[in-house]
């Protein structure tokens, strides 16, 4: 059955987390080291085959800066799905992501499919989230710090999001996170 044509979705998250880079990777298959900051918001569209249907994604890439915050509801209000992005090497961006989740839970469409993207997964050695959050564990920052992944995973589960670590740089899980959202939207 054809479904979910023209899915409107929105990317939210701290400035620098990699929202524009994720969209650029998804839409054009490209990555640039010096991605320009988004002003206001940018619009993209991309089609993807999901099962038997062709789904057209219409994507609002928002800026993330506090001074544009009041504009955000314009982009998420009509959205069927949202990807909330943080940078795994930046604890503050994870805290900011949680704030976005709270805002969407309070003001967004109640059926919205929400994904949490822990981006820059290629920066394994810079990992900070959770290593700082639990002092009862020795603060060993391993190459693959499972604890941080676990913290985000638990948070996502408790809040009804699904979680993936992504890398716009290496393309890890980028198509997958969009694909997973499309699949979940076709189930509702
Ligand atoms: P936005 O403000 O959330 O849109 O973030 P940008 O997409 O502008 O990215 C901010 C910076 O992080 C840029 O210099 C990007 O090149 C870099 N960046 C984005 N995604 C990744 C990633 O997956 N890995 C690495 N190493 N850098 C990334
Ligand atoms: Mg941007």
């Amino acid at each position: 059955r054809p479904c979910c044509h023209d899915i409107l979705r929105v990317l939210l998250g701290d400035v620098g987390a990699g929202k524009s880079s994720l969209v650029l990777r998804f839409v054009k298959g490209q990555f640039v080291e010096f991605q320009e900051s988004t002003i206001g918001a940018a619009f993209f569209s991309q089609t993807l085959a999901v099962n038997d249907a062709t789904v057209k994604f219409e994507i609002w890439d928002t800026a993330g800066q506090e001074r544009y915050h009041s504009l955000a509801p314009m982009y998420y209000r009509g959205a069927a799905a949202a990807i909330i992005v943080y940078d795994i090497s930046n604890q503050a961006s994870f805290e900011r992501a949680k704030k976005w989740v709270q805002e969407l839970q309070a003001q967004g469409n109640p059926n919205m499919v929400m994904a949490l993207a822990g981006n820059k997964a290629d920066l394994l050695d810079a990992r900070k989230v959770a290593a700082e959050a639990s002092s009862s564990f020795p603060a060993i920052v391993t190459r693959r710090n499972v604890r941080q992944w676990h913290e985000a995973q638990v948070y996502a589960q408790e809040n009804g999001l699904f979680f993936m670590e992504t890398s716009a740089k290496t393309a890890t899980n980028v198509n997958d996170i969009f694909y997973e959202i499309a699949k979940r939207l076709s189930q509702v």
Side-chain angles (χ1 to χ4, degrees):
R1 120 189 113 87
C3 83
C4 321
H5 293 285
D6 298 14
I7 296 174
L8 192 67
R9 67 200 39 239
V10 64
L11 277 99
L12 298 165
D14 206 1
V15 61
K19 298 176 294 299
S20 299
S21 299
L22 284 171
V23 179
L24 188 67
R25 171 61 78 186
F26 178 59
V27 172
K28 295 196 179 140
Q30 294 171 356
F31 176 77
V32 291
E33 290 286 346
F34 301 101
Q35 177 65 37
E36 279 175 42
S37 266
T38 310
I39 296 170
F43 182 78
F44 299 85
S45 73
Q46 171 69 310
T47 55
L48 191 71
V50 179
N51 301 326
D52 295 330
T54 302
V55 177
K56 185 176 174 210
F57 294 115
E58 314 219 287
I59 305 164
W60 279 110
D61 169 26
T62 65
Q65 284 101 329
E66 207 42 57
R67 75 186 123 129
Y68 295 120
H69 194 133
S70 61
L71 298 179
M74 245 166 48
Y75 303 107
Y76 67 67
R77 233 171 237 143
I83 302 179
I84 297 105
V85 185
Y86 69 95
D87 167 354
I88 66 159
S89 67
N90 179 341
Q91 177 74 37
S93 76
F94 184 59
E95 301 310 321
R96 186 89 183 91
K98 293 184 192 172
K99 287 267 179 340
W100 279 116
V101 172
Q102 278 173 9
E103 181 165 338
L104 290 177
Q105 285 169 338
Q107 324 267 1
N109 157 17
N111 299 319
M112 186 186 271
V113 170
M114 284 194 259
L116 180 65
N119 191 45
K120 309 197 187 181
D122 56 289
L123 298 178
L124 299 180
D125 292 323
R127 182 179 286 270
K128 290 251 172 53
V129 178
E132 291 170 0
S134 61
S135 54
S136 55
F137 289 94
I140 303 163
V141 181
T142 58
R143 233 183 108 61
R144 187 86 192 140
N145 191 326
V146 175
R147 229 182 305 130
Q148 185 215 50
W149 181 91
H150 188 71
E151 180 191 347
Q153 177 69 46
V154 167
Y155 175 80
Q157 251 166 26
E158 285 173 355
N159 288 276
L161 291 81
F162 74 93
F163 168 62
M164 280 186 187
E165 285 195 345
T166 58
S167 169
K169 186 169 184 171
T170 64
T172 306
N173 277 346
V174 176
N175 281 355
D176 310 65
I177 201 163
F178 284 92
Y179 189 84
E180 183 62 30
I181 288 181
K183 264 184 21 197
R184 284 173 189 237
L185 280 170
S186 64
Q187 284 160 9
V188 294

